[in-house]
Amino acid sequence: MSQQTDFKHHHVMITGGSSGIGKATACRLASLGANITLIARTPSQLERAAQEIKATQTEVQRVLALAADVAEREALTQAIQTATDQLGPPDILITAAGMARPGYFQDVSLDIFEETMAVNYFGTLYAIKAVLPLMAERQQGHIVLISSGAGLVGIFGYTPYSPSKFALRGLAESLRGELKGTGIGLSIVYPPDTDTPQLVAENKTKPPETKNITASAEMWQPEDVAQEIVKGIKNQQFVVAPGLEMGLLAKLHSVLAPGLNWYFDRIVTQTRSQSS
Ligand SMILES: NC(=O)c1ccc[n+]([C@@H]2O[C@H](COP(=O)([O-])OP(=O)(O)OC[C@H]3O[C@@H](n4cnc5c(N)ncnc54)[C@H](OP(=O)(O)O)[C@@H]3O)[C@@H](O)[C@H]2O)c1
């Protein structure tokens, strides 16, 4: 799909497409003519999202909602097969399914560490593994991984989440070269803080230090992040980093890391001295 500017009749598969950033991206691509497959776990939420998306489509466009847990390799592979059988091979894959349970390292159970890696990293890997041969056969397609600012710098309170999002960056950066010249594009997205149910859930377990570190970050709406994702696909951008903060972080994270760590440590010290 190199240089694609039109999504008419394209089949877009979106894991985590029933809510937040995934759903907003689905709506935007549907309004540009795409057929959509949503993959997430909760059938009622999938159904609501499918109806919302259908409302943005023409009569001939299709939307398919499939319930599967991305951490379950067989279930996810089966859902991708079903979607391919019904709507044809995917032109675009967007892996937005994700979870975040912040907390102090010593308070977070190993089960959460394992689950976060299973959903955020392996859930993405399984989807790409299932879809890539279908794209390679047609020598066209585009894959979009959703990472996070926490995949560029480690953030206090995000010890289960940050490594899973770093892992996605490692996967994207190493796969990028392999896909060059194949006709298959690849993007990795570093969304800023975005007003979604995941962020609301995260805020419930965020330590106060983490809340203060992220307090100054600009809050985005999922529709605005979706617009940047779609622009990134159209422009074949490898890194999609919406906004100034993410743009700087994506370009300069290694250079900025010592300064950011100093700044974060200062916030942690202030937070602790206020609460003691
Ligand atoms: N919101 C932010 O501030 C922010 C910032 C940076 C990065 N991100 C990343 O952006 C992506 C989307 O997050 P969001 O904020 O839009 O969250 P959201 O509104 O809570 O949506 C998450 C979606 O993923 C699905 N999902 C979760 N676990 C799943 C699983 N095991 N199997 C299949 N589907 C699953 C959810 O549906 P079910 O629960 O029904 O399965 C839902 O459709 C995530 O990867 C997140 O880490 C978000």
Side-chain angles (χ1 to χ4, degrees):
M1 175 179 328
S2 42
Q3 305 310 313
Q4 178 181 317
T5 54
D6 184 357
F7 298 98
K8 225 170 242 169
H9 309 307
H10 281 107
H11 180 190
V12 181
M13 284 184 188
I14 309 186
T15 70
S18 65
S19 174
I21 295 169
K23 186 177 76 173
T25 310
C27 283
R28 185 152 191 93
L29 288 166
S31 73
L32 295 171
N35 296 316
I36 305 284
T37 294
L38 309 172
I39 299 174
R41 291 165 305 175
T42 317
S44 55
Q45 190 168 288
L46 274 166
E47 194 40 50
R48 273 197 305 277
Q51 281 171 14
E52 214 177 299
I53 290 159
K54 191 73 210 145
T56 71
Q57 291 179 317
T58 60
E59 279 291 299
V60 292
Q61 282 174 261
R62 305 265 315 269
V63 56
L64 191 62
L66 299 170
D69 185 335
V70 296
E72 311 254 338
R73 185 167 26 156
E74 293 304 321
L76 179 58
T77 308
Q78 185 51 57
I80 289 170
Q81 185 59 55
T82 303
T84 304
D85 292 344
Q86 295 200 24
L87 300 186
D91 296 284
I92 297 174
L93 168 71
I94 300 172
T95 59
M99 62 170 283
R101 300 277 163 73
Y104 295 117
F105 178 77
Q106 69 274 18
D107 296 341
V108 179
S109 71
L110 280 172
D111 286 347
I112 294 292
F113 279 85
E114 287 179 358
E115 192 187 343
T116 307
M117 198 55 102
V119 174
N120 294 359
Y121 178 66
F122 284 103
T124 297
L125 180 72
Y126 300 152
I128 295 174
K129 264 287 194 190
V131 155
L132 205 49
L134 303 168
M135 291 182 172
E137 212 169 282
R138 300 163 68 221
Q139 298 181 357
Q140 66 176 62
H142 198 105
I143 296 170
V144 180
L145 289 77
I146 310 288
S147 179
S148 163
L152 292 165
V153 283
I155 296 177
F156 188 109
Y158 276 113
T159 52
Y161 183 70
S162 262
S164 71
K165 294 296 185 177
F166 267 70
L168 291 180
R169 189 173 123 218
L171 176 64
E173 288 184 3
S174 28
L175 187 57
R176 187 196 59 82
E178 287 195 38
L179 293 182
K180 230 177 166 146
T182 62
I184 303 166
L186 184 69
S187 300
I188 179 153
V189 185
Y190 300 105
D193 269 2
T194 308
D195 187 10
T196 67
Q198 178 177 302
L199 194 65
V200 172
E202 269 175 54
N203 284 335
K204 289 184 186 149
T205 64
K206 259 185 196 169
E209 294 90 339
T210 313
K211 280 193 179 144
N212 285 338
I213 285 170
T214 52
S216 62
E218 191 192 350
M219 178 72 80
W220 281 55
Q221 292 306 310
E223 294 73 21
D224 298 324
V225 177
Q227 190 175 341
E228 294 298 312
I229 294 172
V230 173
K231 197 158 49 156
I233 299 170
K234 279 184 180 174
N235 296 337
Q236 295 284 308
Q237 269 169 256
F238 175 60
V239 171
V240 178
L244 181 67
E245 286 168 4
M246 285 301 135
L248 283 175
L249 204 53
K251 283 199 180 72
L252 302 172
H253 53 85
S254 302
V255 179
L256 291 178
L260 282 173
N261 287 337
W262 173 84
Y263 175 65
F264 292 163
D265 289 350
R266 211 173 60 138
I267 294 177
V268 170
T269 307
Q270 281 168 355
T271 308
R272 289 186 169 171
S273 68
Q274 278 158 13
S275 62
S276 63

